[in-house]
């Protein structure tokens, strides 16, 4: 993909009139733009592009040049090479993006050696930020949703037993461990855990859901890498008849993303997820965000949790450029600028914990409903303020290692 330079007319005027030392800041963006998960890259890049379009003048007299590269498959097989090329060939000062945890894990040694900061806009395996002092995350860890969902399922949904189904790669294992920890700590019992294929292709979900139906748990917690996998999950939930069997479908936001929700049909109604974002969240920045999204991409297109995190990732990047007056040559100063950064955006109040370099955000328990206009949406059942990555708080496994 070709690099894009964003320069507002106001920025140009200011640069000419004041003679300020304007910098052109090169930023690399890595997302999946091809294959079965290209829709995840699309949800991300639309959020980033929208921010760049609406806020280019905010960094005047400086400009930003974004160089977009395909992250490659969810195995992370291409990520190290792509990151190396961005750093050595394109001379980027910072990399933003990465949907898949294996990509971030593969890139970490390169990021550390080159000292080029990586700001993660999606990849959620909790311990990724421990792999390099030059990695920060603005999206979420799997524990942000999974752990409180476990507590909520036991205490509020009154589920005494649960089964878990997950896509078999690092974030799937991380998400189910988070749920199990919260659920069993609150008195629940996990009675089955089912690996449901890999992220590179969408499997036939029917056998997994039939197995759960036969086990008769109160709740079925599912983690999949959103997108097409999510559509397959809700379809199987409806066709196998788990709702009729009284088994609640629960999970992180990946199960019912706003980008897929309208196509899921009535089978999605009643699904309960824990999330830091929904297009229906009632706050002023989100209403402005959704309005701008519809104007840019059409009334039938909706932002999801990835889009909102991508928007915030660009907001954090712009904040760094402004704070360092366009000079991102010193990676220590870039990381210092990211630590403690905060905003009040579509997801509400969001910040980066200076101790862990991981995000701190509010979480909402959300239920899928049919709205008066006939469209599917979500309503808030409850909220938790200022949620940190509980994996690092509890120092579970690799979350207790590194800096």
């Amino acid at each position: 993909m070709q690099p894009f330079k964003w320069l507002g007319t106001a920025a140009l005027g200011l640069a000419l009139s004041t003679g300020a030392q304007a910098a052109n800041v090169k930023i690399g963006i890595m997302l999946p733009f091809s294959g079965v998960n290209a829709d995840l890259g699309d949800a991300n890049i639309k959020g980033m592009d929208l921010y760049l379009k609406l806020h280019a003048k905010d960094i005047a007299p400086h400009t930003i040049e974004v160089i977009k590269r395909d992250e490659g498959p969810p195995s992370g097989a291409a990520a190290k090479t792509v990151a190396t090329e961005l750093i050595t060939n394109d001379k980027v000062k910072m990399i933003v993006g990465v949907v898949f945890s294996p990509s971030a894990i593969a890139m970490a040694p390169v990021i550390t050696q080159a000292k080029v900061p990586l700001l993660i806009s999606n990849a959620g395996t909790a311990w990724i930020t421990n792999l390099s002092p030059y990695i920060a995350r603005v999206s979420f860890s799997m524990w942000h949703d999974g752990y409180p969902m476990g507590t909520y399922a036991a205490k509020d949904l009154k589920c005494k037993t649960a089964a878990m189904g997950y896509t078999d790669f690092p974030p799937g294992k991380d998400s189910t461990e988070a749920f199990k920890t919260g659920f069993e700590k609150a008195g629940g019992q996990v009675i089955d855990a089912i690996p449901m294929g890999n992220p590179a292709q969408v499997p036939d979900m029917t056998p997994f859901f039939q197995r759960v139906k036969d086990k008769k748990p109160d709740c079925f917690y599912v983690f999949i890498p959103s997108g097409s996998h999510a559509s397959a999950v809700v379809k199987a939930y409806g066709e196998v008849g788990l709702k009729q069997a009284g088994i609640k479908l629960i999970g992180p936001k990946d199960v019912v993303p706003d980008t897929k929700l309208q196509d899921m049909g009535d089978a999605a109604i009643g699904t309960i997820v824990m999330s830091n974002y929904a297009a229906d969240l009632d706050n002023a920045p989100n209403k402005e965000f959704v309005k701008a999204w519809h104007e840019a991409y059409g009334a039938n297109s909706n932002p999801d949790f990835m889009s909102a995190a991508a928007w915030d990732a660009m907001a954090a990047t712009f904040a760094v450029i402004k704070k360092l007056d366009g000079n991102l040559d010193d990676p220590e100063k870039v990381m210092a600028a990211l630590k403690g950064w905060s905003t009040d955006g579509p997801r509400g109040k969001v910040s980066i914990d200076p101790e862990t370099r991981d995000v701190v955000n509010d979480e909402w328990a959300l239920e899928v409903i049919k709205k008066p206009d006939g469209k599917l949406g979500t309503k808030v059942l409850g909220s938790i303020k200022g949620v940190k990555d509980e994996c690092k708080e509890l120092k579970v496994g690799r979350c207790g290692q590194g800096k």
Side-chain angles (χ1 to χ4, degrees):
M1 291 191 175
Q2 297 299 313
F4 296 83
K5 182 185 291 185
W6 295 88
L7 176 62
T9 53
L12 179 60
L14 184 60
L16 293 176
S17 61
T18 64
Q21 194 70 29
N24 180 47
V25 183
K26 283 189 175 182
I27 301 294
I29 292 179
M30 288 178 59
L31 295 168
F33 293 120
S34 61
V36 68
N37 294 298
D39 52 350
L40 307 183
D42 185 67
N44 270 267
I45 200 63
K46 282 181 175 175
M48 293 181 183
D49 281 347
L50 188 59
Y51 191 94
L52 289 164
K53 176 184 176 182
L54 299 178
H55 291 275
K57 65 180 183 300
D58 294 355
I59 55 172
H62 311 299
T63 57
I64 183 170
E65 182 176 346
V66 296
I67 301 168
K68 301 174 182 177
R69 293 286 185 267
D70 192 339
E71 175 183 337
S75 64
K80 186 175 181 178
T81 298
V82 175
T84 301
E85 290 176 352
L86 281 170
I87 294 168
T88 58
N89 297 344
D90 298 308
K91 310 295 183 187
V92 301
K93 299 299 182 184
M94 184 173 162
I95 295 176
V96 182
V98 186
V99 162
F100 297 109
S101 293
S103 295
I105 293 167
M107 293 165 59
V110 175
I111 295 298
T112 302
Q113 184 176 9
K115 297 184 178 180
V116 172
L118 167 63
L119 180 60
I120 295 175
S121 68
N122 188 78
T125 299
W127 43 266
I128 287 174
T129 52
N130 286 4
L131 295 178
S132 172
Y134 300 102
I135 295 178
R137 178 161 47 199
V138 74
S139 50
F140 52 83
S141 93
M142 305 320 300
W143 287 67
H144 276 89
D145 294 346
Y147 184 82
M149 187 73 250
T151 305
Y152 190 81
K155 292 187 175 180
D156 294 87
L157 301 181
K158 309 300 182 185
C159 294
K160 294 181 179 179
T161 58
M164 305 187 301
Y166 61 97
T167 301
D168 194 6
F169 74 139
K173 296 172 182 175
D174 204 26
S175 178
T176 48
E177 183 178 8
F179 172 78
K180 183 179 180 181
T181 302
F183 187 60
E184 294 190 341
K185 190 174 181 180
Q189 180 187 7
V190 172
I191 60 173
D192 201 2
I194 308 170
M196 303 193 302
N198 64 68
Q201 56 187 9
V202 180
D204 177 5
M205 298 285 181
T206 304
F208 310 130
F209 279 66
Q210 185 60 54
R211 173 171 156 180
V212 172
K213 187 178 181 182
D214 294 342
K215 291 275 187 176
K216 300 179 180 178
D218 297 319
C219 288
F220 183 27
Y221 178 86
V222 172
F223 171 81
I224 33 76
S226 199
S228 300
H229 283 76
S231 300
V233 162
V234 174
K235 181 173 182 288
Y237 181 69
E239 290 181 348
V240 178
L242 268 68
K243 181 185 292 186
Q244 292 80 356
I247 301 170
K248 297 180 179 69
L249 178 61
I250 62 174
K253 51 196 165 291
D254 309 69
V255 176
V256 283
D258 288 288
T259 47
K260 299 291 184 183
L261 189 56
Q262 299 310 319
D263 296 328
M264 287 181 167
D266 289 353
I269 296 174
T271 302
I272 295 174
V273 297
M274 192 67 67
S275 178
N276 61 12
Y277 181 76
D280 286 329
L281 281 184
D282 186 16
N283 66 63
N286 187 47
K287 288 181 178 179
E288 293 177 8
F289 174 59
V290 173
K291 180 174 182 289
W293 185 282
H294 287 159
E295 290 173 352
Y297 304 121
N300 293 325
S301 176
N302 293 296
D304 68 5
F305 65 96
M306 295 187 184
S307 316
W311 171 278
D312 283 343
M314 279 297 107
T317 302
F318 272 44
V320 171
I321 293 172
K322 285 191 285 187
K323 187 168 186 175
L324 300 182
D325 199 17
N327 184 356
L328 276 62
D329 288 343
D330 187 339
E332 309 302 333
K333 290 183 179 179
V334 173
M335 294 309 300
L338 286 172
K339 294 175 182 176
W341 166 83
S342 65
T343 189
D344 192 354
R347 299 184 294 172
K349 294 186 182 300
V350 172
S351 64
I352 294 177
D353 187 333
E355 297 298 321
T356 64
R357 289 170 275 108
D358 218 330
V359 68
V360 181
N361 58 250
D362 297 343
E363 289 283 329
W364 286 272
L366 303 165
E367 180 179 9
V368 177
I369 60 169
K370 180 169 283 188
K371 299 191 289 189
D373 62 3
K375 293 183 178 179
L376 297 183
T378 54
K379 73 173 182 180
V380 175
L381 301 177
S383 64
I384 310 170
K385 299 295 183 183
V387 177
K388 293 187 176 183
D389 173 23
E390 194 66 21
C391 186
K392 295 187 182 68
E393 293 294 299
L394 296 174
K395 301 186 185 304
V396 176
R398 298 185 70 172
C399 287
Q401 303 171 8
K403 297 179 179 179

